[in-house]
Amino acid sequence: MEKGRAYLVGAGPGDIQLITVKGMEAIKKAQVILYDRLANPKLLDYAPADCELIYCGKLPDRHVLRQEMINDLLVEKVLEGKIVVRLKGGDPGVFGRVGEEAAALAVNGLSFDIVPGITSGISAPLYAGVPVTHREFGESFAVVTAHDKSENGQPKLNWKGLAIGIDTIAFYMGISNLPYISENLIKHGKPADTPVILIQWGTFSRQQTLEGTLSNIAAKAKEVNFTNPAITLVGNIVSLRKKLNWFEKKPLFGKQILLARTGTDESELAKELMESGADVIEFPKWKKVSVPADQAVIDRIPEYEKILFTSPESVGEFFDILFSEGIDIRRVKADFYGCSTKSVKALNEKGFFAEVDVKMSQAGKLLIVGDSDTAYKYPHVEMFVTSKKVIDEQFTPIFKRILDESSVNTIVLPSSRSVKTMIEEGVLKEIIPQQLLKTAKVVCMGVKTAETAGEYGIATGKVLEVPDKTAVVDCLANKESELAFV
């Protein structure tokens, strides 16, 4: 059997747009992904539908998979001839143990690429408005682990060198050791009034910060129960935050949104919400599966005078099915139409002239091409079903983990069908907590959506008369509009 290849990929600090192009390309072709807790699970949406997803996450108090087991699993999957992505939060070479995983592959003679990522020690401060270097605040920067494998977890560092020789220091995962860190830096020469900022979940909308000095930051953190994952940044450069704090000023910063999803395509609404500073959890994850070709419809292909494609995907699926069934495209005599400009463009790219459906005449025998989800819209018209949309159950445990670590404060319901799906596939299956429907603010995109929500007992806080993505962002960003929430 031909050997596979591994890609040891840095997923970046959390914001999915911070992954590298090379890292995203690896995800898109992966057959297996072994992913960590700190790698944003939303990146898994870009994996192929048949990709095997394996959680290797570690929590402070327990390990799901020991490092040795991860190494063995990585080797095993590559030996099976598969393209394997090891997806790690931040940069795999910065406290990411990539050296151990690469060594395990190398000793077995297996091929691998290491794909750097943006490390949280640099990105989290930037999202908090603090560059880690600046000409006016010194010329040195260090990244330091804030705990080690010793019994008490307190790292043995060159404290004097750090205190005197380094202007700005980023400690990783150091909240539990804050008293120890502060005490040693002060003891070895760092002024007690040196500014410190703690940044939890940096680059996410749920990012939290806490500022202080070496003399008081430990007490402040204890008072508010500040926890990991967090970066502790020490240095006078922290004072720049007052001028440069940009991310937390985004209109939807702090919004953690559950967005009900009805399609397999990447949501334009989700993109808009994230661009405005929100964290977005899209539920559920859909995938398309093939269905047996309707031979009776295939036999009548030459008889149709008009063929209407309901989506860009249906265009490719239709022609793939014809080719697999041995049907020469020249047997198709119909004029082509699309339900959207994207569908028309997909036809154009296949070499066909096409029009949008509003320009289609009423006369002539019509065939509608689309997935099983669109069939109900055309009950009295002949339908060529190209695929079936089903929920990808592999993502169920992923959603549960995301919801456990998030504090969803907003639910957006784009349509009546999205309401039905969220309740039947999420709440009733105990993936989405029932309580969330009572504690989160609910935005319905349209009156019919609100009516359906009411039928399921959901108290709708805001109904948008103009149900588009701009209206959703404006509604959530406008503090006055929040008064309209129930």
Side-chain angles (χ1 to χ4, degrees):
M1 179 185 293
E2 184 179 346
K3 292 180 181 178
R5 188 174 192 87
Y7 292 84
L8 310 175
V9 176
D15 182 339
I16 63 168
Q17 291 182 312
L18 296 181
I19 193 170
T20 63
V21 172
K22 188 170 184 177
M24 182 62 80
E25 287 175 349
I27 291 171
K28 288 180 176 180
K29 64 184 177 184
Q31 294 170 293
V32 181
I33 297 179
L34 286 70
Y35 65 100
D36 279 351
R37 174 193 176 216
L38 296 181
N40 191 335
K42 196 167 180 62
L43 289 169
L44 302 176
D45 279 358
Y46 297 93
D50 57 352
C51 181
E52 181 183 5
L53 307 176
I54 302 173
Y55 183 54
C56 304
K58 301 184 185 74
L59 295 172
D61 58 342
R62 69 181 187 273
H63 287 211
V64 175
L65 285 180
R66 296 175 64 87
Q67 186 62 49
E68 295 77 11
M69 294 172 64
I70 295 172
N71 297 349
D72 292 344
L73 191 57
L74 192 56
V75 169
E76 175 189 324
K77 294 296 182 180
V78 177
L79 282 172
E80 290 175 5
K82 294 179 178 176
I83 296 174
V84 183
V85 168
R86 176 74 174 101
L87 194 61
K88 307 168 77 70
D91 182 283
V94 180
F95 309 125
R97 305 183 78 169
V98 74
E100 298 170 46
E101 294 172 356
L105 293 161
V107 80
N108 284 276
L110 301 174
S111 301
F112 60 88
D113 285 23
I114 300 178
V115 183
I118 299 176
T119 187
S120 57
I122 295 173
S123 54
L126 275 175
Y127 269 57
V130 184
V132 296
T133 65
H134 190 286
R135 288 187 298 175
E136 295 179 17
F137 292 92
E139 300 174 343
S140 57
F141 166 67
V143 295
V144 181
T145 181
H147 67 273
D148 62 14
K149 294 176 10 179
S150 62
E151 189 173 331
N152 60 13
Q154 294 179 342
K156 294 177 175 58
L157 301 170
N158 179 358
W159 291 106
K160 188 174 183 63
L162 284 173
I164 297 176
I166 304 297
D167 299 306
T168 307
I169 313 166
F171 290 93
Y172 284 58
M173 298 295 188
I175 302 305
S176 61
N177 279 333
L178 268 179
Y180 176 75
I181 291 168
S182 300
E183 177 188 338
N184 275 282
L185 287 176
I186 294 171
K187 178 181 175 181
H188 289 90
K190 208 78 167 170
D193 62 354
T194 301
V196 180
I197 185 170
L198 310 181
I199 310 157
Q200 180 193 63
W201 290 113
T203 79
F204 284 94
S205 187
R206 61 181 183 269
Q207 173 177 298
Q208 296 287 328
T209 57
L210 181 66
E211 293 182 70
T213 64
L214 281 177
S215 63
N216 64 21
I217 193 65
K220 282 188 169 187
K222 184 177 181 181
E223 184 180 347
V224 299
N225 194 30
F226 207 91
T227 59
N228 285 318
I231 291 293
T232 301
L233 195 74
V234 180
N236 292 327
I237 202 167
V238 172
S239 62
L240 285 173
R241 171 173 160 82
K242 293 181 179 65
K243 292 181 180 178
L244 306 182
N245 184 15
W246 63 277
F247 180 57
E248 294 170 20
K249 293 179 180 177
K250 288 210 166 203
L252 299 188
F253 176 78
K255 298 292 184 186
Q256 295 184 57
I257 299 171
L258 178 61
L259 174 61
R261 185 176 186 174
T262 56
T264 57
D265 295 341
E266 189 176 8
S267 168
E268 291 297 322
L269 174 57
K271 287 182 185 178
E272 190 75 20
L273 293 170
M274 288 188 289
E275 185 64 30
S276 299
D279 286 341
V280 180
I281 304 168
E282 292 184 87
F283 177 87
K285 174 73 164 62
W286 297 94
K287 66 178 181 179
K288 286 190 175 183
V289 296
S290 58
V291 296
D294 187 333
Q295 195 59 50
V297 175
I298 288 176
D299 290 342
R300 291 197 296 274
I301 283 292
E303 301 174 13
Y304 297 102
E305 297 164 86
K306 301 176 295 182
I307 298 180
L308 173 63
F309 294 86
T310 60
S311 69
E313 294 79 17
S314 66
V315 174
E317 292 167 353
F318 175 76
F319 290 111
D320 287 345
I321 291 171
L322 289 192
F323 187 80
S324 66
E325 293 293 320
I327 306 295
D328 191 315
I329 190 60
R330 286 171 292 189
R331 292 185 58 194
V332 181
K333 308 300 183 185
D335 292 327
F336 290 156
Y337 297 89
C339 284
S340 66
T341 54
K342 288 184 178 180
S343 299
V344 171
K345 184 179 178 182
L347 286 161
N348 294 159
E349 289 171 353
K350 291 283 185 183
F352 300 107
F353 286 108
E355 299 275 11
V356 290
D357 55 351
V358 292
K359 296 185 178 181
M360 186 171 65
S361 69
Q362 296 297 314
K365 190 171 183 180
L366 172 65
L367 176 67
I368 295 180
V369 177
D371 63 28
S372 59
D373 207 42
T374 58
Y376 80 97
K377 296 180 182 178
Y378 308 98
H380 306 299
V381 180
E382 283 200 71
M383 186 86 191
F384 188 105
V385 178
T386 56
S387 61
K388 180 171 66 172
K389 191 174 71 175
V390 298
I391 289 175
D392 192 339
E393 300 293 349
Q394 191 174 201
F395 278 77
T396 298
I398 297 172
F399 281 121
K400 287 183 176 179
R401 278 194 297 273
I402 294 174
L403 289 170
D404 283 346
E405 291 195 337
S406 304
S407 298
V408 172
N409 50 35
T410 308
I411 296 173
V412 176
L413 302 172
S415 65
S416 294
R417 292 187 60 238
S418 73
V419 177
K420 182 175 185 291
T421 299
M422 188 183 72
I423 296 297
E424 296 181 0
E425 300 295 336
V427 176
L428 296 181
K429 292 186 177 179
E430 299 184 344
I431 299 170
I432 298 172
Q434 176 85 36
Q435 185 65 19
L436 199 57
L437 300 178
K438 299 176 182 178
T439 58
K441 297 171 181 176
V442 179
V443 176
C444 291
M445 296 177 67
V447 175
K448 288 185 178 179
T449 304
E451 289 173 353
T452 305
E455 292 169 5
Y456 280 96
I458 301 173
T460 55
K462 187 71 176 176
V463 180
L464 301 182
E465 295 181 4
V466 182
D468 61 26
K469 59 187 181 183
T470 302
V472 175
V473 172
D474 289 346
C475 167
L476 295 178
N478 186 346
K479 295 188 184 304
E480 290 183 6
S481 74
E482 289 189 5
L483 299 175
F485 283 107
V486 178

